[in-house]
Amino acid sequence: MATIQFDVPECGRFEYNSLTNYITKIKTENSQGQTKQKDCELTSIVWGKSFEEYKKEMNHNLRSLVLQVTRYCNLRCDYCAYSGSFTNMLPHAEKNMSLEVMCQSINFFMQHSDNSEDLVIIFYGGEPLTEFENIVSAVNYAKRFNRNIRFGISSNGVLVNQRVIKWLSENSDVYLTVTINGKKHDLYRRKIDGSGSFKIIFDNLIKIKTSYPDIWQNQIRLISNINSMEEINDLRDFYLKKMKKIPSMISKLNFDFCDESVRKKYFVDQEKENTLLEKFADDYVRTNDPFLSVLYDKGIDMIHNRGLCGENTPGYIGSCMPLSWRLFVRVDGTFNMCEKVTDKLNLGDIKNGYNYTTIEYLYNQLLNFSNNKCRKCWAQRLCLFCFQDFLDENGKLPMSFSEEKCKKMRDDIIFYLKMYIQIISQDPNRLN
Ligand code: SF4
Ligand code: SF4
């Protein structure tokens, strides 16, 4: 049987069967407190659908359109993927999406989403509010289709002025996502002249919070970046005491594809990080703290909602299929699968439609990769790696995919398996 065994403090020894996805408690006399693993091999790994079926989804099932309305930004965050320090993304430039390309992209989205009820259009940058007038026109244009559309703007918050607030008050179907970090904000997120951006963003947000409580409550989402778990206590204080709002997302900075100087600046001691990660996980298990849930819920959800299956079922690829539900359009009208994947990948454009050759190549590449590598890995049925993690800076999928990344993924899965068991042992109904 293909299993991994692990000890959970105060709960006992457990076994995860990687062929069926079952977790069971086992009896041991002399548990050593170590993770043990036995070899396993899935019969095969498949996509959920054939390429032809995915093609139909690309033509009828789109649900989300992300428009890169500009490559310009009024900030220079040095961890930014567009800072020029990352080899997989084009650096900031004074290039904007024309209103014509925005409307053509919306037409394409409408024509390729007839099976979808609820649609989302996100305005992304650089800093999208530098192109506010075009965003207003694009939203008005999209509303003419009389579909159920929500709109989102991913902003750094610097240009949230009275005109933007008034427009938000007239358009309750638009939400604005603003990144704000607490104490460390100015270390990471600086203006072009090098000065910090915290005060201006904080003041803009507080103005909405005090004068427009409905917009604050329903249309403003806050997100945050951290480099180290050492920042969590301050960040928590900042959000609970100053913002009085829980962030929708806390993401760890990602330095893949980044040059050495930035990497060095943001170096963290991994052992110390792991200790803190476990400490906060213990707090979360004990208290169900809503702030910490932003950090841990995704991992717990991955375990709780895993699909149970028979031993002879194939493994399914965990990544989503490019363009089967989400389309990213760059300023020049070319397509990508999402904003996080290398700029060197070109999956079509609004004039010529999808580039099926490249998309099918990606489909087959990930299939080959999974059958060669993941088929023998105990973590396959729980692994959430996606194209963003697999592709190199040139949009290729190397078979020599980093063992280090896989080890990290497997360590994370064991971490969440343990947390999950602690939570349900303590309160079986908590995850309902
Ligand atoms: S605000 Fe966003 S796009 Fe602008 S530099 Fe910072 S991370 Fe990059
Ligand atoms: S950890 Fe690596 S080898 Fe294992 S399933 Fe995930 S990507 Fe594949």
Side-chain angles (χ1 to χ4, degrees):
M1 193 187 276
T3 59
I4 181 151
Q5 292 184 0
F6 51 92
D7 287 308
V8 185
E10 292 163 34
C11 296
R13 167 150 281 214
F14 288 78
E15 186 171 270
Y16 164 68
N17 181 330
S18 57
L19 293 184
T20 60
N21 246 358
Y22 273 98
I23 306 166
T24 42
K25 186 164 186 177
I26 56 172
K27 283 188 187 147
T28 50
E29 297 303 319
N30 300 312
S31 156
Q32 301 299 307
Q34 283 167 348
T35 304
K36 285 188 184 165
Q37 166 189 352
K38 292 184 190 170
D39 283 345
C40 65
E41 210 166 294
L42 293 166
T43 46
S44 65
I45 298 189
V46 295
W47 279 101
K49 298 182 173 105
S50 69
F51 186 67
E52 283 310 309
E53 286 169 314
Y54 275 128
K55 241 168 126 174
K56 277 190 201 145
E57 294 200 349
M58 288 174 220
N59 283 297
H60 300 283
N61 291 16
L62 285 184
R63 299 196 301 276
S64 165
L65 170 70
V66 184
L67 296 175
Q68 183 188 41
V69 296
T70 179
R71 280 180 47 205
Y72 175 75
C73 188
N74 49 355
L75 294 188
R76 288 293 178 275
C77 310
D78 50 11
Y79 62 73
C80 172
Y82 308 114
S83 62
S85 305
F86 286 68
T87 51
N88 61 332
M89 293 294 184
L90 292 169
H92 290 302
E94 295 201 14
K95 294 205 167 143
N96 304 324
M97 183 179 268
S98 66
L99 185 57
E100 191 191 356
V101 171
M102 283 190 188
C103 295
Q104 286 170 342
S105 306
I106 291 167
N107 291 345
F108 186 93
F109 182 48
M110 294 300 148
Q111 287 155 7
H112 292 75
S113 60
D114 50 309
N115 284 346
S116 302
E117 296 251 309
D118 300 320
L119 306 178
V120 180
I121 298 179
I122 310 277
F123 299 95
Y124 196 76
E127 170 50 39
L129 287 182
T130 58
E131 289 300 295
F132 179 61
E133 297 307 325
N134 271 354
I135 292 177
V136 171
S137 304
V139 167
N140 290 340
Y141 181 74
K143 284 184 178 179
R144 288 198 222 147
F145 288 86
N146 276 327
R147 303 276 303 270
N148 192 13
I149 313 175
R150 298 255 301 144
F151 302 90
I153 303 174
S154 291
S155 169
N156 59 32
V158 171
L159 298 176
V160 182
N161 55 25
Q162 207 51 45
R163 162 104 175 88
V164 173
I165 298 171
K166 182 169 180 294
W167 181 70
L168 287 174
S169 72
E170 292 159 358
N171 292 273
S172 59
D173 45 5
V174 181
Y175 62 90
L176 183 74
T177 302
V178 177
T179 307
I180 186 157
N181 304 330
K183 248 186 183 172
K184 292 265 172 114
H185 183 102
D186 282 346
L187 182 70
Y188 306 141
R189 299 181 69 80
R190 286 188 293 255
K191 295 190 221 157
I192 295 175
D193 65 9
S195 61
S197 61
F198 178 82
K199 187 169 179 339
I200 184 164
I201 299 166
F202 181 74
D203 289 350
N204 287 344
L205 289 171
I206 292 300
K207 198 188 298 165
I208 301 180
K209 184 174 179 305
T210 43
S211 307
Y212 305 90
D214 287 349
I215 297 181
W216 177 252
Q217 176 74 22
N218 303 319
Q219 290 170 262
I220 303 293
R221 292 183 186 174
L222 304 177
I223 60 173
S224 186
N225 312 113
I226 54 167
N227 185 40
S228 158
M229 293 299 288
E230 284 181 349
E231 294 160 47
I232 286 293
N233 280 334
D234 284 338
L235 195 67
R236 192 171 183 282
D237 272 2
F238 170 71
Y239 270 94
L240 298 187
K241 293 181 184 155
K242 297 268 169 48
M243 292 283 108
K244 297 201 166 52
K245 196 174 179 98
I246 302 277
S248 316
M249 188 170 76
I250 302 170
S251 52
K252 268 210 138 192
L253 300 180
N254 181 346
F255 297 108
D256 290 349
F257 306 114
C258 175
D259 70 31
E260 213 37 49
S261 61
V262 180
R263 229 181 254 259
K264 258 191 195 158
K265 179 172 172 188
Y266 289 97
F267 174 82
V268 287
D269 178 336
Q270 210 41 58
E271 238 172 77
K272 225 166 145 190
E273 276 299 288
N274 291 344
T275 310
L276 284 172
L277 202 62
E278 280 180 25
K279 178 208 161 306
F280 286 114
D282 279 351
D283 292 351
Y284 173 63
V285 169
R286 271 188 301 102
T287 61
N288 202 6
D289 179 327
F291 182 83
L292 293 177
S293 80
V294 182
L295 280 174
Y296 295 112
D297 272 3
K298 194 173 166 206
I300 299 294
D301 190 61
M302 161 185 80
I303 309 286
H304 190 57
N305 291 318
R306 71 198 186 281
L308 303 177
C309 49
E311 290 210 2
N312 295 322
T313 353
Y316 288 95
I317 290 176
S319 168
C320 66
M321 176 60 202
L323 307 178
S324 62
W325 66 280
R326 185 182 182 92
L327 171 67
F328 178 72
V329 186
R330 299 188 185 92
V331 281
D332 60 0
T334 54
F335 293 167
N336 203 352
M337 59 182 95
C338 88
E339 63 281 7
K340 291 182 181 145
V341 170
T342 175
D343 257 334
K344 290 176 187 153
L345 201 59
N346 199 339
L347 302 182
D349 60 68
I350 39 161
K351 287 212 174 75
N352 302 299
Y354 295 126
N355 177 345
Y356 288 118
T357 313
T358 311
I359 303 169
E360 190 167 14
Y361 169 81
L362 290 171
Y363 177 96
N364 288 324
Q365 283 287 291
L366 193 48
L367 194 61
N368 288 342
F369 173 88
S370 302
N371 276 290
N372 276 311
K373 194 155 167 124
C374 310
R375 197 165 59 82
K376 298 172 193 148
C377 172
W378 67 262
Q380 196 280 329
R381 294 198 199 268
L382 296 175
C383 181
L384 288 185
F385 267 12
C386 79
F387 275 100
Q388 184 200 346
D389 308 295
F390 286 116
L391 292 175
D392 70 12
E393 60 192 11
N394 297 312
K396 299 269 179 293
L397 211 148
M399 282 298 156
S400 58
F401 181 66
S402 155
E403 240 334 291
E404 207 184 308
K405 278 194 178 180
C406 288
K407 182 182 176 311
K408 164 99 182 51
M409 188 66 193
R410 286 188 285 258
D411 287 350
D412 283 354
I413 290 173
I414 292 183
F415 176 82
Y416 283 112
L417 277 167
K418 289 181 181 176
M419 247 180 116
Y420 174 69
I421 287 159
Q422 284 174 319
I423 290 172
I424 55 170
S425 307
Q426 207 175 280
D427 177 3
N429 295 321
R430 178 160 143 188
L431 298 176
N432 294 343

